[in-house]
Amino acid sequence: MNSKERIYALLNGQAIDRIPVTPILMAFAARFIRKTYCEYYLNYQVLVDSYLACQKEFNFDMVMAISDPFRETEGYGAVFSYPDNGIPVMKEPLLKTLEDREINSLPVLDPHQASRMKDRLLAVNAFHQIISKDIPILGWVEGPFAEAADLRGVQNLMMDIIDQPEQVESLLKIVLETEKKFAEEQIKAGADIIGVGDAAASLLSPSLYKKYVLPFEQELFNSIHQLGAKVKLHICGNTSGLLPYMAQTGADIIDLDFMVSLKEARHYFGSQVCICGNVDPISVMLEGTPEDVRQASLRCIEDAGMPFILSAGCEIPVATPPENLHALCQAVL
């Protein structure tokens, strides 16, 4: 089986030859080909070259057009600086208030007209031209709640939930349409799977997740499925309390960070959702030995049951020893 056959068979409940491995790399990938993280997220060719170089070296099962959470935010007009080896830094939140006139001024973005959104489309298409028959391609959009937090500022948005709940819902409805469009254009460019990053959602209680996250994720995921692609939900942090609702999103694959019990997740997800995770990125991948990585990987495989994809709980840290990533990718052999 090649990687694409393996991933699709897994998601379709069919027999596979081995468990897939799909690490999130980003800064690690850039460093692997001696580029800065800034070059990686500002130049699609660097992103593509670095991910393909890593895939060739480590033989994992998915390439990803993933870089940072601010492509849509910049498309809306927020101003950023770009440190060489850090994520983009927003000078100030774009939305100073949640007054109707400010929310309603937000357009549904055309990904072909917003420079960094277009750059991601170019990355997806470049992957598609090279490896589409053999390796699945993951595109990426922000989840509606995460994008609202990017536009408003996380602390401001949390206060808005208390003070202006109806305005928060209005903002979520508007950004949802941009995320649908961004996902659609990446699918047209060749993405097989759309990753959805909704990191800010990990800060919410289960009841708030149910109100402000779940219905918007469900609508977004449904639109992606209608376009023929799969969905991978990624929420960093301890999402243990959110598992019952994450199971209802409609995601085909759900990433879980290292502090979440894979056994508990399987209880809520059943056999219909593929779990992806969740070796500790710091204490094991970065600071451990190859044997530590192998043992942690085997525990994840045992705890998660099937369907399952092996990965770290979040991004592979930039300074991770290459032998540790080799150990992760070889643990399934």
Side-chain angles (χ1 to χ4, degrees):
M1 280 184 147
N2 65 31
S3 293
K4 195 164 192 176
E5 293 167 341
R6 185 175 298 118
I7 292 284
Y8 273 91
L10 177 71
L11 297 181
N12 291 328
Q14 300 167 353
I16 55 175
D17 57 342
R18 65 164 175 82
I19 290 171
V21 188
T22 63
I24 298 173
L25 300 181
M26 300 196 288
F28 179 98
R31 184 176 181 177
F32 189 76
I33 63 166
R34 296 181 174 83
K35 297 292 185 178
T36 66
Y37 186 27
C38 176
E39 290 175 299
Y40 172 92
Y41 60 67
L42 290 181
N43 184 335
Y44 81 91
Q45 195 63 60
V46 173
L47 186 155
V48 170
D49 289 347
S50 64
Y51 235 104
L52 291 177
C54 287
Q55 197 284 325
K56 182 178 180 180
E57 171 67 21
F58 299 102
N59 194 33
F60 47 75
D61 292 292
M62 188 181 293
V63 296
M64 305 182 186
I66 178 175
S67 60
D68 68 276
F70 298 121
R71 292 183 185 247
E72 298 95 308
T73 313
E74 184 169 310
Y76 280 118
V79 178
F80 290 84
S81 60
Y82 304 103
D84 280 347
N85 287 299
I87 65 171
V89 177
M90 185 164 48
K91 295 186 177 180
E92 60 181 356
L94 184 68
L95 295 179
K96 306 298 188 297
T97 72
L98 285 188
E99 294 181 6
D100 286 340
R101 66 177 182 275
E102 194 161 4
I103 295 176
N104 293 333
S105 70
L106 294 173
V108 176
L109 297 177
D110 178 352
H112 294 277
Q113 300 302 316
S115 62
R116 295 197 62 234
M117 295 173 74
K118 182 178 180 179
D119 183 81
R120 180 167 286 160
L121 300 183
L122 292 171
V124 169
N125 188 251
F127 280 138
H128 179 70
Q129 298 302 319
I130 299 168
I131 48 84
S132 62
K133 293 182 180 180
D134 300 318
I135 303 171
I137 300 163
L138 182 89
W140 196 267
V141 303
E142 287 299 286
F145 192 81
E147 182 56 32
D150 292 340
L151 290 168
R152 182 76 175 106
V154 174
Q155 184 173 348
N156 292 333
L157 185 65
M158 294 303 172
M159 295 301 296
D160 294 334
I161 288 174
I162 298 171
D163 298 333
Q164 304 178 80
E166 293 182 359
Q167 296 297 85
V168 171
E169 292 191 69
S170 295
L171 175 59
L172 291 169
K173 290 175 183 177
I174 289 172
V175 299
L176 171 63
E177 297 308 313
T178 286
E179 303 306 344
K180 286 181 182 178
K181 184 64 176 175
F182 197 16
E184 178 181 4
E185 293 305 312
Q186 289 180 69
I187 294 165
K188 289 179 181 178
D192 304 294
I193 303 168
I194 297 296
V196 179
D198 226 350
S202 67
L203 302 174
L204 298 177
S205 68
S207 61
L208 290 178
Y209 183 98
K210 181 181 180 181
K211 180 175 182 180
Y212 293 103
V213 180
L214 178 60
F216 300 96
E217 287 180 343
Q218 287 174 327
E219 185 171 342
L220 175 60
F221 298 179
N222 183 56
S223 71
I224 293 169
H225 285 145
Q226 289 179 352
L227 293 166
K230 302 292 188 181
V231 178
K232 181 174 186 273
L233 174 61
H234 181 93
I235 304 178
C236 307
N238 190 348
T239 55
S240 300
L242 306 179
L243 293 175
Y245 295 117
M246 293 171 70
Q248 299 175 33
T249 60
D252 303 284
I253 306 167
I254 296 181
D255 286 354
L256 296 174
D257 215 337
F258 73 94
M259 63 284 288
V260 180
S261 165
L262 298 185
K263 290 181 179 179
E264 183 178 4
R266 182 60 69 199
H267 169 74
Y268 289 109
F269 294 174
S271 61
Q272 301 306 306
V273 177
C274 180
I275 294 174
C276 183
N278 73 342
V279 175
D280 189 324
I282 303 300
S283 68
V284 178
M285 294 304 306
L286 176 63
E287 300 175 345
T289 66
E291 181 59 20
D292 293 332
V293 174
R294 191 182 79 86
Q295 291 298 330
S297 299
L298 295 178
R299 285 193 296 272
C300 288
I301 292 168
E302 180 178 359
D303 289 348
M306 293 296 284
F308 178 66
I309 295 172
L310 180 64
S311 183
C314 199
E315 177 187 0
I316 299 294
V318 62
T320 296
E323 56 267 29
N324 284 2
L325 186 52
H326 273 297
L328 180 81
C329 295
Q330 293 170 4
V332 298
L333 301 181

